[in-house]
């Protein structure tokens, strides 16, 4: 064939038709003799000898007329989405680029189903100007030229006329990878309740061609390559339809999630909304899954620094609660610096990957586990660093306690320890339960790493979700923190003599066992391939039971709230409340309940809704743990009777906040409390003359804000310091202190 002018679009259309017919005829002749030569990105992404033969026919036909043009064919590109994107990026800016899929619907072809086509498109500076799709089995030729309309076998054609999603017949595809199939099935479930019907052909080019000629109202599929959609998108647009990305942005050759419709009524907008509702977009599973864990750890450390800051501001003796030596006590600023350092590490690691991959970052599903493993190596190295930086002694303290959590027995035997589990080990193990998804992600990363050392390159295109379906190991890893806590509860049960305490430890063990049950029941459908877990009534029963059980335990046992017969001002709370205002405790209870529900859903629903929900649920659980820490340490201080009062001012004592920390006596406690708050504002600070236990008594006249004179009265071995004021109506405040720290306040008449 003689060469034509390189910019003759009409000649390009004629050549594209000739090339498509030649390849289609060869494909049809080989339908019943095809055999699989190899697989590409997955076991379901097939390649046959006929694919390459058809592509050669197309290229040879076009090159004979347009030898200076560039070519992009599916069979010349390495497997995987990343390779496809890179191949397009290298050529998309060329003046003339031919984009060819020699057999779209290879799986149909392999199974001798007459549902595969040849797709040929030509783009000028990245914009498709010619599109041809040929179905040799029906001898149907779909053609389009920019601004010239769409034709079927030479006759002009148009999209369908349905104007409502309820009247629409919609085509969709599910791809060849788990990361595509699961969200697409979610989308199909959402759409089936809204539209007239769903159809699946197994070839995106056929779906787009049929949408263009009015055989269906719309089509959606995610993670498609440029050769799958180039010709079909032009057919739909020239036939009067609309083609966009899954988020509604304009079509270009670079998009991978395509929505095509007849552009009538609410069909296209309804499709976009349903896609968003089902989260049916290509989430680049490994990329985001392996970013969620490090981000959760960093948020946890930032929250811990906030915990320490609030403890210090409220004079909570957390060092005594955790049994720390003075040189082991961390500062909020030091923990904050560590969290920021790890955030910077995560940022640079993932951005270095972006720089290496370019715009293709996150599309391929390999090597992302190495970023998670690299982050963990940095974090562990920082924790074990022998240099005296970033709270060295505190880090060693944490390492020892983590080791005790992992192996709570005596030495290297299975002999139980001689005492109940210390609070610090309980505190650390509880924190580990909130990072259980991170531990699960780490186990998957290790599995992928081991597989990469023992597999062929093409076998490495495994997604995160595929590993969750192959092995119970990730679920066991996620269960480890709960197993540790259950073991600690059983040890305390064996080493506690009080019958009441033993019973409580047993109930706590049951709580963590119920968490293990939720994980196990949620994992079973993934491992067996049966129905989704939320369709299992037993799973729902376990989830509800665990949520309510854990929530009630948080409020009553871990926080000491919900005490009966309290004054109205502290209803359902407790007498001693450190944080102000009191209403914050009610807010904490509500938030804890809401986030407990999220905790349950993270074991199953995120697998189907996508990584955005997974990221939210993982961060939400960490936030819940940070809030839990505030009240848990406060309650432990109260139980150990080491709750410090607010700091005494240099020249006076503000008693309004301190009065509220103890129950007041009398027939009308509310009136006495409010009267005391109104009258007692500023008192001279007593001078402690020794470090023994003292009782300081102050009196104040009814004149608000008056200064009182100090007088000291000896009472046995204790020093009683009194402040007498003018006036005939006085109240008395008694502060019992130990080593200068007030423990209780009593208000009475005198």
């Amino acid at each position: 064939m003689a060469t034509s002018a390189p910019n003759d679009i009409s000649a390009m259309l004629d050549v594209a038709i000739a090339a498509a017919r030649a390849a289609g005829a060869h494909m049809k002749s080989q339908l019943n003799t095809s055999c699989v030569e190899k697989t590409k990105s997955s076991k379901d992404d097939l390649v046959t000898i006929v694919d390459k033969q058809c592509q050669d026919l197309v290229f040879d036909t076009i090159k004979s007329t347009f030898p200076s043009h560039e070519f992009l064919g599916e069979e010349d590109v390495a497997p995987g989405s990343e390779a496809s994107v890179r191949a397009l990026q290298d050529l998309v800016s060329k003046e003339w680029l031919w984009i060819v899929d020699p057999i779209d619907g290879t799986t149909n072809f392999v199974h001798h189903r007459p549902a595969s086509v040849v797709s040929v498109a030509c783009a000028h500076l990245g914009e498709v100007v010619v599109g041809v799709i040929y179905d040799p089995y029906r001898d149907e030729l779909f053609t389009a030229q920019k601004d010239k309309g769409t034709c079927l076998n030479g006759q002009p054609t148009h999209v369908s006329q349905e104007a409502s999603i309820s009247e629409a017949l919609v085509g969709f595809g599910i791809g060849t990878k788990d990361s595509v199939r699961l969200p697409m099935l979610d989308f199909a479930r959402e759409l089936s309740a809204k539209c007239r019907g769903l159809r699946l052909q197994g070839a995106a080019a056929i779906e787009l061609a049929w949408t263009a000629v009015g055989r269906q109202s719309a089509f959606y599929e995610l993670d498609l390559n440029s050769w799958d959609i180039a010709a079909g998108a032009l057919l739909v647009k020239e036939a009067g339809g609309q083609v966009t990305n899954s988020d509604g942005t304009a079509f270009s050759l670079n998009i991978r999630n395509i929505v095509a419709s007849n552009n009538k009524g609410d069909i296209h907008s309804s499709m976009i909304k349903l896609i968003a509702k089902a989260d049916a977009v290509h989430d680049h599973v490994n990329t985001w899954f392996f970013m969620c864990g490090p981000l959760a750890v960093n948020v946890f450390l930032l929250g811990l620094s906030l915990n320490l800051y609030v403890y210090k501001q409220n004079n909570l003796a957390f060092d005594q609660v955790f049994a720390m030596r003075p040189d082991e006590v961390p500062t909020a600023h030091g923990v904050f610096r560590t969290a920021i350092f790890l955030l910077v590490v995560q940022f640079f690691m993932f951005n270095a990957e972006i720089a290496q991959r370019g715009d293709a970052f996150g599309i391929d599903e390999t090597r992302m586990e190495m970023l998670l493993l690299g982050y963990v190596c940095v974090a562990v190295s920082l924790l074990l660093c022998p240099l005296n930086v970033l709270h060295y002694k505190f880090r060693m303290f944490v390492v020892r306690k983590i080791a005790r959590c992992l192996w709570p027995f005596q030495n290297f035997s299975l002999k139980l320890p001689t005492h109940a589990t210390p609070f610090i080990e309980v505190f650390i193990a509880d924190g580990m339960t909130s990072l259980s998804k991170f531990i699960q992600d780490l186990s998957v990363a290790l599995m992928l790493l081991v597989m990469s050392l023992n597999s062929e390159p093409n076998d490495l295109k495994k997604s995160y979700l595929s590993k969750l379906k192959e092995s119970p190991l990730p679920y066991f890893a996620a269960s480890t923190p709960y197993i540790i806590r259950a073991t600690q509860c059983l040890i305390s049960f064996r080493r506690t003599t009080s019958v009441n305490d033993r019973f409580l430890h047993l109930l706590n063990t049951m709580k963590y066992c119920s968490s293990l049950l939720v994980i196990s029941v949620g994992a079973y459908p993934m491992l067996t391939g049966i129905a989704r877990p939320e369709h299992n009534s037993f799973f729902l029963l376990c989830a509800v039971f665990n949520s309510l059980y854990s929530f009630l335990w948080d409020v009553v046992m871990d926080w000491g709230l919900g005490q009966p017969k309290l004054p109205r001002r502290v209803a359902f709370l407790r007498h001693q409340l450190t944080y102000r205002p009191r209403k914050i405790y009610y807010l904490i209870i509500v938030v804890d309940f809401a986030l407990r529900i999220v905790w349950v859903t993270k074991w199953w629903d995120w697998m189907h809704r996508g990584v955005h929900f997974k990221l939210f649920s993982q961060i939400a659980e960490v936030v819940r743990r940070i809030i839990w820490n505030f009240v848990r340490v406060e309650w432990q201080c109260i139980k150990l009777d080491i709750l410090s009062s607010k700091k005494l001012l240099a020249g006076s004592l503000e008693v309004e906040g301190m009065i509220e920390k103890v129950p007041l006596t009398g027939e009308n406690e509310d009136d006495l409390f409010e009267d005391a708050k109104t009258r007692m504002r500023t008192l001279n600070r007593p001078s402690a003359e020794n470090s023994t236990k003292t009782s300081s008594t102050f009196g104040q006249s009814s004149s608000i804000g008056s200064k009182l004179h100090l007088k000291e009265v000896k009472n046995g071995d204790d020093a009683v310091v009194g402040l007498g004021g003018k006036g005939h109506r006085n109240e008395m405040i008694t502060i019992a202190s130990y080593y200068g720290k007030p423990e209780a306040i009593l208000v009475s008449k005198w």
Side-chain angles (χ1 to χ4, degrees):
M1 184 179 293
T3 60
S4 298
N7 58 353
D8 187 348
I9 297 180
S10 296
M12 293 177 193
L13 179 60
D14 293 337
V15 170
I17 292 173
R21 285 190 177 278
H26 181 68
M27 175 175 62
K28 182 179 179 180
S29 68
Q30 300 296 315
L31 177 64
N32 296 318
T33 61
S34 62
C35 62
V36 177
E37 181 185 26
K38 61 181 179 178
T39 60
K40 294 179 69 176
S41 61
S42 74
K43 64 180 178 61
D44 302 318
D45 191 4
L46 308 178
V47 178
T48 70
I49 298 174
V50 183
D51 285 85
K52 181 63 175 174
Q53 293 171 347
C54 289
Q55 180 171 292
D56 290 341
L57 282 171
V58 172
F59 281 1
D60 290 344
T61 302
I62 297 173
K63 286 179 180 178
S64 64
T65 306
F66 299 102
S68 63
H69 289 188
E70 300 288 343
F71 295 86
L72 175 62
E74 179 181 9
E75 309 313 317
D76 293 334
V77 178
S81 302
E82 180 184 1
S84 302
V85 171
R86 283 182 172 171
L88 177 64
Q89 288 175 340
D90 293 339
L91 297 171
V92 71
S93 60
K94 300 295 184 180
E95 184 177 9
W96 297 102
L97 174 65
W98 290 88
I99 305 170
V100 176
D101 189 348
I103 301 180
D104 188 32
T106 302
T107 301
N108 290 338
F109 180 72
V110 168
H111 289 274
H112 314 302
R113 296 187 62 187
S116 50
V117 296
V118 181
S119 176
V120 180
C122 184
H124 176 60
L125 298 176
E127 182 181 9
V128 180
V129 294
V130 168
V132 173
I133 293 176
Y134 180 56
D135 181 352
Y137 309 108
R138 298 177 180 84
D139 192 25
E140 291 184 333
L141 182 68
F142 306 86
T143 60
Q145 183 178 339
K146 184 183 177 184
D147 299 329
K148 297 292 182 66
T150 298
C151 294
L152 171 58
N153 290 335
Q155 299 299 315
T157 186
H158 301 281
V159 294
S160 64
Q161 299 302 309
E162 298 88 13
S164 171
I165 191 67
S166 62
E167 301 173 348
L169 182 66
V170 180
F172 73 103
I174 61 173
T176 60
K177 293 181 289 189
D178 292 333
S179 58
V180 172
R181 285 173 172 170
L182 293 175
M184 281 305 305
L185 290 174
D186 273 354
F187 169 72
R189 186 181 69 252
E190 294 285 348
L191 183 61
S192 62
K194 303 291 185 181
C195 69
R196 177 168 290 169
L198 296 175
R199 296 295 183 269
L200 192 154
Q201 304 294 336
I206 294 179
E207 300 278 10
L208 289 168
W210 284 18
T211 302
V213 300
R215 293 176 183 173
Q216 60 189 29
S217 312
F219 167 70
Y220 175 60
E221 187 171 354
L222 56 83
D223 197 34
L224 292 172
N225 298 306
S226 57
W227 47 78
D228 297 317
I229 61 177
L234 182 64
L235 290 173
V236 173
K237 289 193 291 184
E238 290 298 320
Q242 182 179 7
V243 182
T244 69
N245 199 349
S246 56
D247 59 3
T249 55
F251 170 82
S252 72
L253 285 173
N254 292 310
I255 73 169
R256 301 188 62 82
N257 306 334
I258 186 171
V259 184
S261 75
N262 61 2
N263 198 23
K264 300 291 191 300
D266 67 346
I267 292 179
H268 201 91
S269 60
S270 297
M271 292 277 290
I272 298 295
K273 291 177 182 177
L274 289 171
I275 290 168
K277 182 178 180 181
D279 201 12
V281 295
H282 190 217
D283 288 317
H284 317 317
V285 176
N286 282 12
T287 301
W288 287 102
F289 275 4
F290 292 133
M291 286 181 68
C292 289
L295 186 59
V297 173
N298 294 333
V299 172
F300 186 85
L301 290 175
L302 289 172
L304 184 59
S305 67
L306 180 61
N307 288 148
L308 294 174
Y309 176 79
V310 172
Y311 296 157
K312 184 176 181 181
Q313 292 299 309
N314 289 273
N315 285 334
L316 295 179
F318 69 91
D319 53 335
Q320 298 181 47
V321 169
F322 295 146
M324 290 178 169
R325 296 194 303 267
D327 57 351
E328 294 173 338
V329 178
T331 64
H333 187 256
V335 176
F336 179 79
R337 289 202 309 268
T338 303
I340 294 300
F341 173 77
L342 290 176
L343 272 173
V344 171
V345 168
Q346 181 183 6
F347 175 80
F348 278 107
M349 287 180 64
F350 281 88
N351 276 275
E353 187 71 9
I354 291 175
Q356 179 180 348
R357 296 185 178 213
D359 293 337
F361 170 67
I363 293 177
D364 197 11
E365 295 182 342
T366 59
R367 293 210 331 264
M368 298 311 302
E369 70 276 3
M370 298 305 297
L371 296 182
L372 175 61
L373 295 174
Y375 171 87
V376 171
C377 289
V378 172
V380 172
S381 299
L382 180 63
L383 183 64
L384 300 177
C385 177
L387 301 179
N388 191 20
V389 294
L390 294 176
H391 289 309
Y392 169 74
K393 292 189 176 180
F394 169 66
R395 289 189 283 109
M396 294 302 101
F397 173 81
V398 172
V399 169
R400 291 195 304 271
K401 297 306 177 182
I402 291 177
R404 288 291 302 168
C405 290
L406 297 176
W407 189 258
F409 308 104
Q410 295 187 39
N411 299 325
F412 297 101
S413 68
L414 293 177
K415 189 176 181 180
L416 294 179
T418 58
H419 53 77
T421 305
F423 177 76
I424 179 60
E425 295 175 21
V426 172
F427 189 82
I428 290 176
D430 274 328
M432 291 170 63
T433 62
S434 293
L435 296 175
S436 57
K437 276 301 295 118
F438 170 70
I439 298 173
Q440 184 183 45
D441 293 347
L442 182 59
S443 69
V444 175
L446 290 172
M447 292 173 64
L448 291 174
L449 177 62
V450 171
M451 184 181 68
S452 68
L453 300 176
N454 300 283
S455 303
E456 295 295 327
N458 286 339
D459 294 333
L460 300 183
K461 307 296 181 179
K462 294 285 187 178
S463 73
Y464 181 100
L465 293 180
S466 68
K467 302 310 297 180
L468 295 181
K469 295 168 64 177
E470 293 176 4
S471 171
L473 179 61
Y475 303 101
F476 176 78
S479 302
T480 302
Y482 302 96
I483 296 174
I484 291 174
R485 277 299 289 125
T487 303
Q488 291 177 342
C489 293
L490 289 175
I491 291 173
S492 298
F493 169 79
R494 292 293 301 272
R495 294 302 181 228
T496 302
T497 57
S498 169
V499 175
N500 182 62
D501 289 345
R502 286 169 63 89
F503 179 68
L504 292 177
H505 288 309
L506 193 60
L507 290 179
N508 205 12
T509 304
M510 292 175 58
K511 183 189 76 171
Y512 291 104
C513 289
S514 70
S515 300
L516 293 173
L517 185 61
V518 172
I519 298 173
S520 301
V521 176
Y524 180 74
M526 290 292 289
L527 295 174
T528 59
I530 62 175
R532 289 171 55 174
E534 68 268 34
H535 298 158
N536 187 329
S537 58
F538 181 62
F539 174 86
L540 295 177
L541 178 64
C542 294
V544 171
F545 174 78
N546 174 262
S547 295
L548 295 178
Y549 196 164
S550 301
F551 167 71
L552 292 175
W553 192 274
D554 283 347
V555 174
V556 178
M557 302 306 301
D558 288 343
W559 296 344
L561 302 175
Q563 297 181 7
K565 299 181 180 179
L566 290 175
R568 185 174 53 196
R569 66 180 183 277
V570 289
F572 197 70
L573 300 179
R574 49 175 148 79
H575 287 296
Q576 291 176 278
L577 300 173
T578 301
Y579 305 118
R580 291 294 182 273
R582 295 191 205 95
K583 292 180 180 178
I584 196 172
Y585 288 89
Y586 297 111
L587 178 62
I588 287 174
I589 292 173
V590 172
V591 171
D592 184 75
F593 178 78
L595 296 184
R596 278 291 182 186
I597 300 299
V598 174
W599 179 92
V600 172
T601 62
K602 77 178 183 180
W603 288 114
W604 48 280
D605 203 53
W606 60 266
M607 296 178 182
H608 308 278
R609 290 194 179 183
V611 296
H612 298 103
F613 183 79
K614 174 186 181 290
L615 176 61
F616 166 75
S617 64
Q618 199 161 343
I619 298 300
E621 169 58 19
V622 170
V623 171
R624 189 198 68 80
R625 180 60 58 185
I626 294 168
I627 297 173
W628 181 90
N629 290 344
F630 287 124
V631 191
R632 182 67 184 92
V633 171
E634 177 210 19
W635 177 234
Q636 190 69 11
C637 288
I638 293 173
K639 290 198 298 182
L640 297 178
D641 200 21
I642 56 174
L643 182 65
S644 301
S645 69
K646 291 186 177 180
K647 186 180 295 185
L648 298 177
L649 302 179
S652 64
L653 175 64
E654 178 67 36
V655 299
E656 180 178 354
M658 300 176 63
I659 293 174
E660 301 170 19
K661 294 184 180 180
V662 297
L664 303 177
T665 59
E667 295 182 357
N668 192 337
E669 291 184 358
D670 288 341
D671 292 342
L672 181 59
F673 175 78
E674 295 298 330
D675 185 55
K677 284 179 61 177
T678 303
R679 292 170 178 271
M680 302 177 190
R681 296 296 181 187
T682 307
L683 301 175
N684 289 338
R685 181 179 179 180
S687 57
E689 297 185 354
N690 53 58
S691 60
T692 61
K693 189 169 184 178
T694 64
S695 176
S696 302
T697 304
F698 306 89
Q700 179 179 353
S701 71
S702 58
S703 176
I704 296 176
S706 62
K707 296 292 183 179
L708 305 176
H709 302 288
L710 176 66
K711 62 181 180 180
E712 183 174 343
V713 180
K714 294 294 183 180
N715 182 11
D717 294 332
D718 295 335
V720 180
V721 181
L723 287 175
K726 298 179 180 180
H728 57 278
R729 291 190 59 199
N730 290 330
E731 284 80 30
M732 180 182 296
I733 302 177
T734 301
I735 301 178
S737 62
Y738 185 68
Y739 292 109
K741 295 182 178 180
E743 291 180 341
I745 302 172
L746 301 177
V747 179
S748 60
K749 300 284 185 178
W750 70 296

